[in-house]
Amino acid sequence: MKLVLSTEAVTENLDTRLIGQRVLCYSSLPSTNELAKGEARRGTVAGTVIIAEEQTAGKGRLKRAWLSPRGSLSLSVILYPGLEYLPSLIMVASLAVARAIEAVTGLKAQIKWPNDVLINGKKVCGILVESEVRGETVGYAVVGIGVNVNLRVSDFPELSLVATSLSQELGRAVSRLGLVKRLLVEMERLYLTLLDGGSIYEEWRASLVTLGKEVLVTSGGAEYSGIAESVARDGSLLVRRPDGSLSQIVAGDVTLRHQI
Ligand code: BT5
């Protein structure tokens, strides 16, 4: 199953009206998010999707690197949401990935707050939302998603303890085309639910593996621990500290470590 993804294949019979109406596929890019931001600044159509077979400088949060060799799925979706929807994009993306993985592979996927999708406690997907906001106006939002689909994690020693891939969990290769199409359909369903005034919070909350767990939060160089008690509707995490106080932590600039 070494087929490369093409615009024609991804858009053929794609059951969406917004996300994936324009799809650009590349053999190799430094980062799909970087290209997407350039496209977004030029005002490309909402729902445009950038896909790369491999990234040579894939980005995680806080300037961390994201490994995306051939066999993985790296894509970015360009959106122009209202400011009120911006915090929900991480929910849209993580839920869409979890649902798509479950639908295509039958594996159970869980979300680790704020931006990881796990299978059997190991990271199979990372999400990076980047946006440009001026005052009350969102210039653009780029939702970057990286999924380990067909790769042997043991080939990457720095990842082998923390990461997994769909092929590794299943013991066989997975159709990246099937996965990406389902992912775009799920993203659209969730995004349009938001725009129509509906809520995806309950569905997202129910998929979180983090709640009730002891967590160690790193935020701006400071570290503190507590129990992840709840999540607020804006996506922030509520941590009960040992002294009984409750801290509200906004996603984005924090790292979360916990045992699962
Ligand atoms: C993330 O950051 O998890 C966000 C990753 C987003 C990647 C997508 S791919 C398409 C788009 N274009 C980009 O350039 N980026 C986005 P963070 O939570 O900071 O996690 C980064 C950490 O995950 C690294 O420090 C490694 O420990 C680990 N990591 C790196 N590559 C990995 C992989 N392939 N699988 C699992 N873990 C990985």
Side-chain angles (χ1 to χ4, degrees):
M1 218 183 291
K2 287 205 168 61
L3 295 178
V4 295
L5 296 169
S6 68
T7 300
E8 295 69 31
V10 174
T11 53
E12 189 184 15
N13 296 326
L14 183 67
D15 192 12
T16 63
R17 59 186 159 91
L18 174 73
I19 294 181
Q21 289 309 297
R22 179 166 182 251
V23 175
L24 305 176
C25 294
Y26 295 84
S27 173
S28 180
L29 282 178
S31 156
T32 56
N33 265 31
E34 286 306 312
L35 191 95
K37 286 192 282 182
E39 287 283 323
R41 285 189 201 106
R42 285 191 288 279
T44 192
V45 60
T48 295
V49 178
I50 313 283
I51 301 176
E53 292 296 314
E54 68 165 5
Q55 296 183 117
T56 53
K59 297 189 308 172
R61 296 174 307 146
L62 305 171
K63 299 204 165 73
R64 289 189 286 249
W66 179 258
L67 279 179
S68 16
R70 289 181 190 277
S72 56
L73 177 63
S74 306
L75 66 86
S76 300
V77 180
I78 299 165
L79 296 168
Y80 305 100
L83 190 59
E84 67 274 34
Y85 302 116
L86 209 47
S88 303
L89 292 184
I90 189 78
M91 298 185 203
V92 168
S94 54
L95 256 182
V97 170
R99 292 291 173 266
I101 288 176
E102 287 171 355
V104 170
T105 66
L107 293 166
K108 173 108 186 91
Q110 289 179 304
I111 300 170
K112 179 181 165 196
W113 186 92
N115 71 319
D116 295 348
V117 179
L118 311 180
I119 295 178
N120 291 323
K122 290 189 167 175
K123 183 160 170 172
V124 73
C125 162
I127 296 161
L128 176 65
V129 179
E130 296 185 273
S131 57
E132 188 183 78
V133 180
R134 288 215 186 95
E136 297 290 297
T137 310
V138 178
Y140 63 79
V142 166
V143 182
I145 298 175
V147 187
N148 300 331
V149 185
N150 298 320
L151 49 104
R152 260 208 326 255
V153 174
S154 55
D155 291 345
F156 306 92
E158 65 272 46
L159 295 184
S160 53
L161 289 178
V162 293
T164 189
S165 70
L166 298 181
S167 60
Q168 192 157 310
E169 295 293 326
L170 271 184
R172 64 170 168 81
V174 172
S175 161
R176 289 183 314 137
L177 181 60
L179 185 71
V180 75
K181 291 180 97 149
R182 187 63 190 242
L183 174 58
L184 299 182
V185 167
E186 293 289 340
M187 273 190 87
E188 169 140 326
R189 172 181 71 84
L190 293 158
Y191 187 59
L192 293 184
T193 300
L194 282 183
L195 298 192
D196 290 344
S199 169
I200 63 169
Y201 165 78
E202 286 77 13
E203 191 181 342
W204 174 72
R205 192 181 193 287
S207 295
L208 279 178
V209 72
T210 312
L211 300 186
K213 300 272 165 46
E214 196 155 328
V215 293
L216 179 64
V217 181
T218 312
S219 180
E223 275 196 346
Y224 54 97
S225 59
I227 303 287
E229 195 165 283
S230 186
V231 275
R233 284 192 164 266
D234 67 359
S236 54
L237 186 70
L238 300 167
V239 176
R240 182 71 64 187
R241 311 287 303 279
D243 66 4
S245 64
L246 201 59
S247 298
Q248 183 156 1
I249 298 145
V250 179
D253 63 344
V254 301
T255 324
L256 184 67
R257 275 176 271 155
H258 66 81
Q259 303 295 322
I260 296 170

